[in-house]
Amino acid sequence: MSRILNRVPRSSRLSGFHRLTVQERRDKLVETTWLTDERAASLEQPACGLSEHDADAMIENVVGLHALPLSVALNFRVNGADRVVPMSVEEPSIVAAASSAARLTLAGGGFWARCDEPVLTCQVQLLDVADPEAGQARILAAKPELLALADSFIPRMVKRGGGARDLEVRVLSELVVVHVHVDVRDAMGANTVNTVAEGLADRLAELARGRVGLRILTNLSDRRKVTAGCRVPVEALASRDFPDGAFVARRVVEAQRFAELDPYRAVTHNKGVMNGVDAVLVAFGNDWRAVEAGAHAWAARGGAYRPLTRWWVEGDALVGELTLPMATSTVGGAARTHPGVKLALELAHVSSANDLGALAAAAGLATNLAALRALSTEGINRGHMALHARRVAAEAGAAPAQVAVVAAQLSAEGCYRPERARVIVAELAEEARA
Ligand code: MEV
C-alpha cells in the first residue's frame, strides 16, 4: 500500500492542521493520503501499539511503557518532494517552530540535502608497539588482505551491498590506532563495525607486533555526514512587527556570528539544531545519543566549539546550511520491533537511512532558523507564550474553534492562569446562549 501511496504527489502544507483535534488530525492524514486507515487506527492505541511483550524484548528490566507525544512537522519539501516529518519530543514549541520555519523555506524551493555514503568507522587500539611507525607501515601494506578479512566477518552486510571500504592507521604518541571504514547501508552499523573491529584485532596486533586494546566504533562518523541547505527569499522573513525581511535576514546573520565567536552561544545554537534532529531520530527509534555525540565532536573538530550551521545573505535571500555526522538506520533494532517506528517510516515514506538523515538535518536547520529569527527579533518568549496560551485555553475546556479566541484574550491580558481561561470560556458559552 505504501508503495502505491508513494507515487501520489501530495502536499505537506495542511492548512489549519494545528487547530484540529487529535482524531481530526489523524483523519486529515488519511484524507490527504499520507497515512492508510489501518496505520491511522494503530495510532489510537497507547504507545502506537508497542506491547509490553515487545518492550521486554527491546531492553532489560522492563516494568512498563514510557510514552512521548508523536507529532508531525508540516511544510517540509526536501529535494523537491513534500514530506510530513514525524517528531517525538517532550518540549513544547519545537514542532511548531520546525513547521513555521519550513514554511518560510518553501518560497525558496524548500530544503536540499545530500548525504555521504553510509560509511561507519571502527577503531582498534594497539598497545606496546615497539616501533609504531613500522607497525603502521606493515598494517598499511596488508590493507587488501585486511579489508577482505573484514568482509569475511560480515557476509550478510556484503550481500546487501555494504562491506569494508578503507583502512587507516594513526600513530598517537605510543599508541597505534587502526580505523576501518565500513559501508553499512541502511543499518546504524554499530554492531557491524564492532564485529569487524573484534574480528580484525588479533591480526592487526600481529602485524603491529603489539597488544590489542579497545575495539569499538567511533561516534565521530565523519565519513557519514549529511548537509542540508535552504534559501529563503528575504521577503518571506517579514512579519507584522518586522516588515523588513532584509533586516530580519541581517539579524539572523548577526546571531550566527555570535555563535561563531563564542562557544557559550554556539552550544545553545547547536541545541536549537538538535531540537529538530533529535525529535526526528526519537520518532524513528534511532540512536540519537550517537548522533548527538558525533554532532558535538564535529562542532569542535577545529579545536574550538563552533556552530553546526552557517547562515549568510546572498542577493535577496538568506541562505543556510547545516552539516553533521548522521549515523541513522531504517532496518533492524526498533525499525523491526517498534510499531510506532514502522508507522513513522511509512508516514514519512523514508526510503533509506540516508533519506532519514536528510529529513533529520532539514528539521535541524528548520528549528535553528526558527530560533534565530525569533531570538534576533521579538525574542523567544512571545511565541512560547502564544503556544502556552493555546494549551491553557484547551485545558480550560475551550472547544477547538474557540481555542484561538481564548488564547488571544489570555495573551492580550498577559495572564495565562487556568482560572482566568475558565472564566473566558464560560463567558463565551454565555454569549453563545444569549
Ligand atoms: C530552546 O530549546 C532552543 C534555543 O535556546 C535555541 C537557541 O538559542 O538558538 C531557543
Side-chain angles (χ1 to χ4, degrees):
M1 184 63 176
S2 67
R3 225 166 269 145
I4 296 166
L5 291 179
N6 254 333
R7 284 198 225 113
V8 184
R10 56 184 85 69
S11 172
S12 63
R13 297 262 297 111
L14 305 182
S15 161
F17 193 77
H18 63 285
R19 282 193 288 274
L20 303 177
T21 63
V22 174
Q23 181 59 51
E24 285 168 347
R25 289 187 196 124
R26 287 196 282 258
D27 293 344
K28 188 76 177 172
L29 291 175
V30 173
E31 187 191 312
T32 50
T33 73
W34 284 105
L35 265 188
T36 60
D37 272 323
E38 197 187 7
R39 284 292 188 204
S42 77
L43 279 170
E44 289 169 32
Q45 299 164 35
C48 301
L50 180 71
S51 68
E52 281 194 355
H53 180 265
D54 295 334
D56 202 31
M58 283 174 85
I59 60 167
E60 309 74 39
N61 296 353
V62 167
V63 293
L65 301 176
H66 184 130
L68 278 174
L70 175 68
S71 298
V72 287
L74 301 178
N75 309 323
F76 275 77
R77 185 168 301 148
V78 183
N79 292 338
D82 274 28
R83 315 286 289 268
V84 296
V85 183
M87 290 179 118
S88 207
V89 66
E90 87 298 339
E91 184 177 330
S93 308
I94 289 177
V95 178
S99 302
S100 74
R103 188 171 168 185
L104 300 179
T105 71
L106 286 175
F111 298 93
W112 58 264
R114 58 166 184 267
C115 304
D116 295 337
E117 289 297 306
V119 170
L120 199 69
T121 302
C122 61
Q123 300 190 289
V124 179
Q125 176 196 24
L126 301 170
L127 305 105
D128 301 338
V129 180
D131 184 344
E133 276 77 22
Q136 177 182 43
R138 281 191 297 276
I139 292 171
L140 286 175
K143 193 192 274 196
E145 169 213 322
L146 291 165
L147 293 180
L149 184 60
D151 277 347
S152 73
F153 301 120
I154 49 169
R156 280 187 311 172
M157 182 56 76
V158 172
K159 220 177 200 165
R160 275 158 43 200
R165 295 289 181 260
D166 199 8
L167 180 148
E168 285 175 288
V169 188
R170 299 160 65 224
V171 175
L172 303 176
S173 187
E174 76 286 5
L175 296 182
V176 174
V177 180
V178 181
H179 284 197
V180 188
H181 305 292
V182 184
D183 186 326
V184 295
R185 299 286 87 201
D186 290 323
M188 188 274 181
N191 291 339
T192 304
V193 300
N194 291 343
T195 301
V196 166
E198 293 191 359
L200 281 188
D202 286 344
R203 177 66 183 133
L204 291 171
E206 190 179 41
L207 286 163
R209 297 179 194 151
R211 171 169 68 83
V212 172
L214 305 189
R215 297 144 293 162
I216 187 73
L217 88 166
T218 170
N219 288 121
L220 178 50
S221 46
D222 55 6
R223 295 209 174 191
R224 197 181 185 183
K225 297 183 303 300
V226 55
T227 299
C230 64
R231 192 181 178 84
V232 186
V234 292
E235 64 267 21
L237 294 165
S239 62
R240 205 186 51 208
D241 293 343
F242 294 88
D244 181 356
F247 169 85
V248 178
R250 284 195 300 277
R251 287 288 185 92
V252 169
V253 174
E254 285 170 7
Q256 169 73 27
R257 178 83 179 135
F258 182 10
E260 275 163 14
L261 294 177
D262 182 6
Y264 286 93
R265 173 56 206 157
V267 67
T268 320
H269 178 107
N270 288 344
K271 192 274 183 181
V273 170
M274 300 314 286
N275 275 344
V277 172
D278 287 346
V280 173
L281 297 177
V282 171
F284 286 88
N286 268 233
D287 185 348
W288 53 272
R289 286 91 51 215
V291 175
E292 274 280 337
H296 298 296
W298 176 251
R301 69 195 177 283
Y305 188 87
R306 305 274 321 276
L308 291 162
T309 60
R310 296 193 305 136
W311 289 102
W312 69 99
V313 172
E314 208 174 87
D316 58 1
L318 174 69
V319 185
E321 269 185 28
L322 163 68
T323 299
L324 74 168
M326 186 68 81
T328 39
S329 94
T330 53
V331 295
R336 196 174 51 226
T337 52
H338 195 304
V341 171
K342 289 184 193 164
L343 181 140
L345 287 165
E346 191 170 313
L347 174 58
H349 301 293
V350 169
S351 59
S352 64
N354 272 359
D355 184 35
L356 174 56
L359 278 190
L365 192 58
T367 48
N368 177 244
L369 172 59
L372 298 192
R373 181 178 182 230
L375 287 167
S376 62
T377 55
E378 63 192 24
I380 207 79
N381 261 346
R382 190 157 136 187
H384 282 185
M385 291 318 283
L387 286 172
H388 180 58
R390 292 185 64 87
R391 259 190 311 279
V392 173
E395 280 164 21
Q402 291 178 330
V403 168
V405 180
V406 178
Q409 183 64 28
L410 293 171
S411 297
E413 294 174 13
C415 166
Y416 303 93
R417 287 203 312 275
E419 311 85 82
R420 177 63 191 138
R422 280 195 290 273
V423 171
I424 300 170
V425 171
E427 283 169 2
L428 283 175
E430 189 64 29
E431 274 171 33
R433 273 195 296 274

